[in-house]
Amino acid sequence: MSFYKLLNEYKKLNIDKVLNKVSDSDVINVLSKDSLSWEDLLVLLSPVAENHLEAMARKARELTIKNFGKVIFLYAPMYLSNYCVNNCSYCGFSVVNKYERKKLSLLDLEQEAEKVAMKGIRDILILTGESRKHSPLSYIKDSVKVLKKYFHSIAIEIYPLKTSEYASLFNEGVDGLTIYQEVYDRKIYDQVHISGPKKDYKFRLEAAERACLAGMRRVNIGALLGLGKWQSEAFYAALHASYLQNKFLGTEFSISVPRLREHIGDYQEKAELSDRNLVQIILAFRLFLPRVGINLSTRESASFRDNVLPLGITKMSAESTTVVGGYSSDDGFEQFAIADNRKVDEVKTVLLEKGYQGVFKDWHQL
Amino acid sequence: MNDNLIIKGKEFKSRLFVGTGKFADKKIIPDLIKKSNSEMLTVALRRVDFESDQENILKYINENCTVMINTSGARTADEAVRIARIAKAAGCGDWVKIEVIADNKYLLPDNQETIKATEVLAKEGFIVMPYVTADLMVAKKLKEVGAASVMPLGAPIGTNRGLKSKEFIRILIEEIDLPIIVDAGIGRPSHACEAMEMGADAVLVNTAIATASDPVLIGRAFAKAVEAGREAYLSGPASKKKYADASSPLTGFLND
């Protein structure tokens, strides 16, 4: 059974109704458990659980340290191309936005790689807009060949692929995949993905499973928070991670918590997400999924990142740019605005001050 | 009396092995080694960055210590073998802890793949220290294929739950003629002491030391606990026997 089928089984679940029935004693009861069910996860996402954030935080911190140690894995994103064929109302790369599009040549890419590697980064996430025409698989493979000289671990965040395509990238040296469903609510998904292949909800949803079948070592999923109601989006994202973890034992999973950021265009958030809400999500994820990594990007401010660090976070990007070629040049269009502009060394120093080691290398593709 | 631990001809005064994967700061390692007297440290090759002096954990390990490369991250025997070979080629020596984990939810070892990797690497001359669940048949096969020790888990990695597999470890200690080193699950010095008291040859500790408020202090406490446990074992505590020898035997009259 794929996660798509599992999701259908939850169609009749009225999440709001369940959330509003939760009492303080339900939360206290869940906090005393070692292993949580999906019902327990909803308890932790309820409005009442907001009164128990401190107790949740203490448990989350303890679980994170036990499972991952006092370390935070550091990585950087690298944008290869911003050509896109989709019209997504919330994204700066949307095909309807008019600006000069760019794609790195392999020479430019090498220059970018050198710049990032000099910062000490060894784990790179390469991103493209979703255009098979401008960023075909052959281009991704050629890029990986260049990047392998500079990085020990390479992950991709590109358009969803077939299993055989993921396998061919894995064989080339890609060991990780990031793919966000963006929004699990099917109605909203259809509304915000106005046109383009991304409208295919099911093909995107099952991409993580195809990557696992292809042998990918690590898979990172998530919802873009702000598109749908945060409680249900967090619930389905966590359920998705749990499903994957139980089905593909050999893959390391992580979950991201990206909030919508300012970008070109006039899209307004459908569901605002406060810092407090985001903290509640991070804590609920950690308690429900003690062995799943939680990623936090530079979409969040330096002070927020520093404060949530001990609550369950295991991986962070540092000194990022969302501009194609942004490590080598100052001009260009950014997909979304970065909020934490600190240098890698600064992030590393702050981690140490907070009692954490920044780990730059956690795998070496064999 | 010389009670040093001997593995493949190499002597260790300390029976406390330390894992290095979860420390908040690598710089603490030299002090920890000094205060805990540990002479054996495991290092995951996946974390070693040979190109960066600052990030290379091997730079923090004293030359008197033996480095045992850990194949952490390997999902199959083949991957573990490749990691060990890369480590050796990079000058990390031939001591290798085989850790093959294909279960990322509980981090339990894959015993079958571990046996396969052990066989290949032992033939190539590596000193192979496999990490496995405490299982007699697995341990026997590991000995057959050339393992230098058997490292059964006390409890799953990072749980700090102590010797949950105590009865099965006891069987290994009684039946397997190789050093038995309890790895994973040891959360407190008292757990380490318990393992040593029952006859384990050494213990390997990572999470409990690395994540303590004062890793150096607890490292020293672990060292003392290991020594105490070892001395208790050597002294042959009465509890090892199911029935005590009565000082006034009940059947002594038969000899009168």
Side-chain angles (χ1 to χ4, degrees):
Chain A
M1 180 167 70
S2 80
F3 184 64
Y4 183 76
K5 282 187 183 161
L6 183 70
L7 257 190
N8 283 334
E9 291 181 6
Y10 287 84
K11 260 186 174 170
K12 286 182 185 162
L13 176 68
N14 184 335
I15 290 182
D16 284 343
K17 202 172 161 188
V18 177
L19 291 173
N20 289 324
K21 273 189 177 171
V22 174
S23 67
D24 281 309
S25 60
D26 291 333
V27 181
I28 292 164
N29 181 35
V30 168
L31 285 174
S32 70
K33 293 184 181 181
D34 284 336
S35 171
L36 307 191
S37 66
W38 64 265
E39 289 94 338
D40 296 329
L41 170 64
L42 280 176
V43 167
L44 297 179
L45 292 169
S46 69
V48 170
E50 207 182 313
N51 304 326
H52 299 266
L53 290 187
E54 183 56 29
M56 287 168 69
R58 286 176 190 277
K59 190 167 180 185
R61 180 177 183 274
E62 188 191 334
L63 279 172
T64 311
I65 290 176
K66 264 190 188 176
N67 282 293
F68 297 89
K70 290 183 174 174
V71 299
I72 297 287
F73 304 107
L74 296 171
Y75 74 102
M78 185 188 284
Y79 283 70
L80 305 191
S81 163
N82 55 17
Y83 285 96
C84 191
V85 293
N86 294 307
N87 178 7
C88 307
S89 57
Y90 56 87
C91 180
F93 283 179
S94 172
V95 68
V96 297
N97 291 332
K98 302 292 175 210
Y99 56 91
E100 196 184 338
R101 302 278 172 165
K102 202 171 163 188
K103 173 184 159 185
L104 294 182
S105 68
L106 293 182
L107 211 61
D108 294 338
L109 174 76
E110 183 128 22
Q111 205 178 341
E112 283 278 278
E114 273 175 22
K115 297 261 181 197
V116 179
M118 274 171 64
K119 301 176 199 293
I121 295 288
R122 297 288 180 263
D123 180 349
I124 196 86
L125 170 68
I126 54 176
L127 301 96
T128 65
E130 297 200 2
S131 168
R132 272 186 182 262
K133 186 182 157 200
H134 292 92
S135 315
L137 222 54
S138 55
Y139 171 67
I140 307 289
K141 285 181 187 173
D142 289 342
S143 302
V144 170
K145 279 180 194 148
V146 174
L147 294 170
K148 268 158 82 170
K149 291 189 269 176
Y150 299 90
F151 303 101
H152 293 298
S153 190
I154 301 169
I156 50 165
E157 186 175 344
I158 62 171
Y159 44 88
L161 302 175
K162 295 179 208 158
T163 307
S164 58
E165 292 174 319
Y166 281 128
S168 70
L169 283 180
F170 180 71
N171 291 334
E172 202 59 61
V174 172
D175 62 283
L177 168 78
T178 284
I179 188 146
Y180 300 143
Q181 186 57 24
E182 316 292 15
V183 56
Y184 284 87
D185 182 308
R186 270 168 268 199
K187 205 170 152 191
I188 299 175
Y189 188 94
D190 197 49
Q191 285 166 2
V192 296
H193 298 107
I194 297 158
S195 64
K198 199 168 174 178
K199 268 196 100 63
D200 190 340
Y201 179 95
K202 185 170 180 280
F203 189 68
R204 190 170 191 87
L205 190 74
E206 291 177 347
E209 287 165 70
R210 294 193 297 274
C212 294
L213 287 170
M216 212 58 87
R217 299 189 58 84
R218 53 197 174 104
V219 169
N220 177 42
I221 61 161
L224 183 54
L225 299 165
L227 292 178
K229 284 187 84 167
W230 68 266
Q231 292 92 340
S232 54
E233 288 303 307
F235 174 68
Y236 288 121
L239 217 56
H240 193 181
S242 171
Y243 162 87
L244 292 169
Q245 188 185 39
N246 289 328
K247 186 166 177 179
F248 300 100
L249 295 175
T251 312
E252 287 177 21
F253 293 99
S254 56
I255 193 163
S256 287
V257 286
R259 275 196 282 195
L260 260 180
R261 295 279 299 158
E262 292 160 32
H263 61 90
I264 196 170
D266 55 3
Y267 180 79
Q268 295 299 312
E269 283 182 54
K270 287 195 184 309
E272 205 175 313
L273 186 79
S274 68
D275 285 357
R276 206 174 170 78
N277 300 150
L278 186 51
V279 165
Q280 190 173 346
I281 291 173
I282 292 168
L283 297 175
F285 281 175
R286 172 53 65 234
L287 299 186
F288 180 60
L289 301 160
R291 276 287 317 154
V292 164
I294 302 179
N295 294 358
L296 194 64
S297 77
T298 50
R299 285 169 183 263
E300 300 300 333
S301 69
S303 65
F304 183 79
R305 290 197 341 146
D306 292 352
N307 283 313
V308 297
L309 183 68
L311 308 185
I313 304 302
T314 55
K315 192 166 184 175
M316 284 179 157
S317 50
E319 205 178 331
S320 305
T321 169
T322 65
V323 175
V324 177
Y327 293 105
S328 313
S329 149
D330 285 341
D331 3 298
F333 168 78
E334 59 179 10
Q335 188 192 24
F336 58 84
I338 295 296
D340 180 353
N341 291 303
R342 289 175 297 184
K343 304 280 180 207
V344 171
D345 279 346
E346 288 176 81
V347 173
K348 195 176 143 188
T349 304
V350 169
L351 289 177
L352 271 174
E353 283 166 7
K354 293 199 161 278
Y356 288 83
Q357 182 194 159
V359 170
F360 290 86
K361 185 192 167 197
D362 189 41
W363 183 243
H364 193 142
Q365 184 68 333
L366 298 168
Chain B
M1 181 182 77
N2 180 356
D3 180 44
N4 291 346
L5 169 64
I6 299 171
I7 303 174
K8 288 277 180 183
K10 181 156 186 162
E11 285 196 39
F12 297 88
K13 287 187 194 120
S14 164
R15 291 170 182 269
L16 172 64
F17 297 176
V18 178
T20 56
K22 292 183 173 178
F23 283 92
D25 189 349
K26 291 187 281 290
K27 292 194 190 89
I28 209 167
I29 289 173
D31 204 19
L32 171 67
I33 294 171
K34 199 172 157 193
K35 298 282 169 52
S36 68
N37 298 319
S38 182
E39 298 163 306
M40 171 76 96
L41 272 81
T42 63
V43 174
L45 186 73
R46 68 192 284 180
R47 293 273 176 89
V48 180
D49 187 351
F50 294 102
E51 293 147 32
S52 166
D53 261 12
Q54 209 185 354
E55 294 304 321
N56 187 354
I57 194 167
L58 297 172
K59 304 271 177 197
Y60 297 87
I61 299 175
N62 183 321
E63 281 177 7
N64 299 328
C65 278
T66 298
V67 169
M68 176 162 55
I69 284 295
N70 179 345
T71 65
S72 164
R75 298 189 290 191
T76 61
D78 183 46
E79 285 186 348
V81 167
R82 276 190 280 166
I83 290 170
R85 286 174 181 161
I86 290 170
K88 192 171 182 175
C92 296
D94 45 14
W95 289 77
V96 60
K97 172 182 166 181
I98 302 293
E99 185 176 305
V100 180
I101 290 177
D103 153 40
N104 278 294
K105 189 171 181 184
Y106 296 103
L107 298 180
L108 292 171
D110 184 329
N111 291 340
Q112 288 192 8
E113 291 294 299
T114 303
I115 293 167
K116 280 189 219 165
T118 301
E119 183 166 17
V120 173
L121 292 171
K123 277 183 187 156
E124 292 181 15
F126 281 88
I127 299 159
V128 190
M129 315 272 277
Y131 164 66
V132 285
T133 46
D135 179 299
L136 179 60
M137 291 306 140
V138 169
K140 282 190 171 183
K141 280 179 189 153
L142 287 170
K143 181 169 165 40
E144 272 171 33
V145 300
S149 72
V150 177
M151 304 211 290
L153 58 85
I157 291 175
T159 58
N160 292 341
R161 290 189 182 177
L163 302 182
K164 294 295 173 196
S165 52
K166 187 173 178 179
E167 288 310 312
F168 305 101
I169 292 175
R170 187 190 302 281
I171 292 169
L172 300 191
I173 291 169
E174 286 170 7
E175 300 296 329
I176 301 295
D177 183 22
L178 281 178
I180 303 296
I181 299 157
V182 180
D183 183 2
I186 292 178
R188 295 175 184 192
S190 56
H191 298 151
C193 187
E194 187 183 3
M196 298 306 297
E197 205 177 285
M198 65 192 265
D201 294 278
V203 295
L204 198 161
V205 186
N206 185 6
T207 308
I209 293 178
T211 65
S213 303
D214 188 339
V216 174
L217 188 60
I218 204 162
R220 204 169 66 162
F222 267 105
K224 287 177 180 172
V226 166
E227 280 175 28
R230 180 66 184 170
E231 284 180 8
Y233 169 72
L234 292 175
S235 70
S239 60
K240 276 193 78 184
K241 298 175 184 172
K242 281 185 180 170
Y243 304 101
D245 293 329
S247 50
S248 305
L250 299 176
T251 54
F253 67 93
L254 294 174
N255 301 325
D256 290 342

